[in-house]
Amino acid sequence: MASIELLVATASGQDRILPELPQASTPVTLVAASNPVSGKSEFRYQGNNTPPVIRVQTGSVLNVEYKNELAAQSKEDCFGHPCMNMTNLHFHGLHVSPNAPQDDVLDMVASPGETLHYAVQVPPQQPPGLYWYHTHSHGESYVQDLDGMSGAIVVEGIERYAPEVRYMRERILVLRNLVLSNDGVERKRITESVNMQTSQCGSATEKADAAFTVNGTLRPKIDIAPGERQFWRIVNASPDLYADLEVDSVSLEVIALDGMPLAYHDPSIRNRSISHVLLPPAGRVEAIVTGPPADSHAALRSRCFDTGPDGDANPAMVLADLVSAPPPSNQTRPALGGAPVYETFLPTVLKQIETSEPQFVVTFTEDKQGFYINGQKFKMNSGPMLTVDVGSLQHWRVVNSTKEVHPFHIHQAHFLTYAIDGKPLKDPVWLDTVNVCYGSSVDLVMDFTDPIIRGMSLFHCHLFKHEDKGMMAKILFR
């Protein structure tokens, strides 16, 4: 088992795991390239094929020059035909414009040999936290994300909402897929190395076809001193695996979900202590983890998750081992200064929205020909499924009429998840991606109050295979 301490650290000396892009207004060049050996697609930055962490401050502009140097003829298959190797970037969770040259995944698409220039204006009121970037070329998103074309984005300033994390070691953990080999010996080696559950998990009948990696490494070691409190920021960048995360004998002190500090909408909530947290594909959690006693073995695990009779196997497995080691002498990060920004809604206003009839219902269906939203299969030339006037809160209901789970995601906005199957949740949470169990429904308060989001955007299932096969729709913000 490799140690994540051996991976690239930053020049600042902080205990990071991944290379990071500099915070600068000058463009940073990110390249999409084909691996000369496998033919798979990958990101390259300064000669390294490890996707870097992008760190930005609120009120700044993120400039990225994105070059498509993928092979003109792909060796990979995109649902029965060779991939076209078209690509672009989506800045998942950021409350930024859906228009070019910002988070535009509809018109900004590069063929091999072309370059895209992004200038993403991160607003001053952007919640500080963990976001991520990934490719979003319709029809090729699944293959490119499966190849690992994704990376973390950190919007700085979360210590304004949780001051204690400034003095902790920060871990950025990106979870991706390692596809299991058809070779029985190699498959057994991988499944045994992560202690993958071998009995049937949930109602899915197929065998598992992938294991989780952490920052590209299978079951790494994470150094943590007994009693040491570390700040872990985890993104599930898998195209199809659910991560139901827990740490042996340790509660997670959750600070933020999907980049949104719990205190952002309710200053009275600093954190929540929970035993495990479900991250659907695209989900993120930021939590404080306390080091176990020196004489104990502890691991970061993903629990069995039932994806439904038509879903994919999602067995329990070990993601990483916690190893006792002394902390570095200095782990304090510079404070940005400034007061936290809060966006609160009156309880009476939220209650009025929650108890009203849904203004829009999203219904997920599927058959042997494809995947649908409200009976429609997405096409690039489709018109908007609905138009929303910016400045409002809306009650949406998402209904899953299939026999497998679907994670619902909308670009540019967060929403309050407050009820499942019509039953109010004890602790409603703000998310940008929420799981919808099979045969179930969730009720959401959609926050469309931000004037920045004007333009054509998208909502879809974040199982990329489903999205690529039609489970996506356009929404026009005006």
Side-chain angles (χ1 to χ4, degrees):
M1 294 177 290
S3 170
I4 57 178
E5 296 298 319
L6 300 179
L7 296 178
V8 180
T10 61
S12 67
Q14 296 294 335
D15 186 15
R16 310 290 192 205
I17 300 168
L18 299 170
E20 298 181 0
L21 298 178
Q23 293 195 36
S25 58
T26 56
V28 173
T29 300
L30 187 65
V31 177
S34 298
N35 186 288
V37 177
S38 66
K40 294 183 178 181
S41 53
E42 61 187 22
F43 282 142
R44 292 181 189 162
Y45 171 67
Q46 292 187 345
N48 192 330
N49 64 358
T50 301
V53 175
I54 297 175
R55 303 186 78 98
V56 296
Q57 295 186 15
T58 55
S60 66
V61 178
L62 170 63
N63 289 281
V64 179
E65 181 183 67
Y66 183 47
K67 294 184 176 182
N68 185 350
E69 295 182 2
L70 293 166
Q73 301 294 325
S74 176
K75 296 181 181 179
E76 298 190 276
D77 180 84
C78 284
F79 309 113
H81 59 82
C83 299
M84 298 175 64
N85 277 353
M86 300 175 69
T87 190
N88 58 9
L89 295 176
H90 170 45
F91 302 92
H92 185 116
L94 294 185
H95 297 179
V96 297
S97 171
N99 299 320
Q102 299 195 58
D103 192 24
D104 180 358
V105 299
L106 292 168
D107 297 318
M108 292 185 71
V109 182
S111 298
E114 296 180 339
T115 298
L116 299 174
H117 300 273
Y118 291 95
V120 182
Q121 300 180 28
V122 182
Q125 69 273 22
Q126 175 72 44
L130 181 64
Y131 300 88
W132 67 302
Y133 61 97
H134 58 81
T135 64
H136 208 297
S137 178
H138 181 61
E140 306 195 40
S141 298
Y142 172 76
V143 171
Q144 292 183 9
D145 190 71
L146 188 66
D147 287 347
M149 296 186 75
S150 59
I153 299 175
V154 173
V155 177
E156 303 283 21
I158 200 167
E159 67 276 0
R160 294 170 179 159
Y161 302 84
E164 63 271 29
V165 305
R166 183 187 167 205
Y167 306 99
M168 299 177 190
R169 273 200 281 184
E170 178 191 70
R171 303 279 186 186
I172 299 176
L173 308 178
V174 181
L175 310 183
R176 298 190 183 91
N177 285 28
L178 175 63
V179 177
L180 297 177
S181 172
N182 291 327
D183 178 84
V185 175
E186 178 64 11
R187 180 186 181 94
K188 182 179 180 182
R189 183 191 70 82
I190 294 173
T191 56
E192 288 183 349
S193 70
V194 297
N195 287 357
M196 185 179 290
Q197 179 180 352
T198 56
S199 58
Q200 182 175 337
C201 173
S203 51
T205 57
E206 297 181 358
K207 291 184 178 181
D209 59 8
F212 273 119
T213 63
V214 180
N215 297 337
T217 301
L218 193 69
R219 193 171 175 175
K221 297 176 181 178
I222 299 178
D223 287 353
I224 186 168
E228 179 191 0
R229 285 155 58 81
Q230 293 187 357
F231 185 40
W232 289 14
R233 316 179 94 162
I234 307 173
V235 52
N236 182 4
S238 165
D240 51 12
L241 283 178
Y242 280 73
D244 193 356
L245 300 177
E246 66 179 1
V247 178
D248 294 338
S249 305
V250 174
S251 293
L252 301 169
E253 297 178 51
V254 174
I255 303 296
L257 290 167
D258 285 2
M260 181 75 71
L262 300 184
Y264 187 84
H265 287 293
D266 188 344
S268 68
I269 304 175
R270 289 278 296 277
N271 58 65
R272 284 183 179 142
S273 181
I274 57 178
S275 59
H276 65 100
V277 59
L278 176 66
L279 296 189
R284 288 96 64 210
V285 63
E286 295 166 84
I288 298 170
V289 175
T290 302
D295 57 353
S296 66
H297 174 265
L300 171 64
R301 303 176 187 272
S302 181
R303 297 155 41 113
C304 164
F305 181 72
D306 184 7
T307 61
D310 291 345
D312 299 321
N314 210 108
M317 68 186 81
V318 176
L319 274 59
D321 292 288
L322 279 61
V323 178
S324 180
S329 57
N330 179 24
Q331 51 202 30
T332 300
R333 294 184 299 279
L336 292 180
V341 175
Y342 298 105
E343 182 182 294
T344 58
F345 298 106
L346 291 173
T348 53
V349 172
L350 289 177
K351 180 60 69 174
Q352 182 180 10
I353 300 294
E354 293 170 3
T355 55
S356 66
E357 287 298 310
Q359 289 159 281
F360 187 66
V361 177
V362 177
T363 302
F364 289 139
T365 57
E366 60 184 76
D367 58 27
K368 293 181 179 180
Q369 281 69 50
F371 295 79
Y372 311 88
I373 292 180
N374 295 353
Q376 299 181 36
K377 182 186 291 189
F378 178 82
K379 296 180 180 179
M380 285 297 289
N381 61 359
S382 301
M385 183 171 284
L386 76 160
T387 299
V388 171
D389 289 326
V390 175
S392 64
L393 297 173
Q394 290 195 2
H395 174 192
W396 281 27
R397 179 171 293 153
V398 184
V399 179
N400 183 353
S401 298
T402 76
K403 294 182 180 180
E404 62 178 317
V405 294
H406 296 288
F408 169 81
H409 169 60
I410 187 167
H411 292 202
Q412 274 63 62
H414 279 70
F415 45 78
L416 178 65
T417 305
Y418 71 90
I420 296 178
D421 293 332
K423 299 177 182 178
L425 295 175
K426 179 182 178 182
D427 295 311
V429 289
W430 288 86
L431 304 169
D432 63 40
T433 307
V434 64
N435 180 56
V436 189
C437 289
Y438 54 97
S440 183
S441 67
V442 297
D443 284 87
L444 314 170
V445 176
M446 310 298 292
D447 183 3
F448 297 142
T449 61
D450 193 335
I452 291 174
I453 62 175
R454 299 182 192 277
M456 191 73 76
S457 192
L458 293 168
F459 56 96
H460 58 87
C461 170
H462 217 286
L463 295 175
F464 276 128
K465 192 177 291 185
H466 298 176
E467 179 250 291
D468 279 343
K469 292 184 176 181
M471 198 171 268
M472 182 161 70
K474 294 179 183 177
I475 177 172
L476 178 61
F477 295 111
R478 69 179 181 187

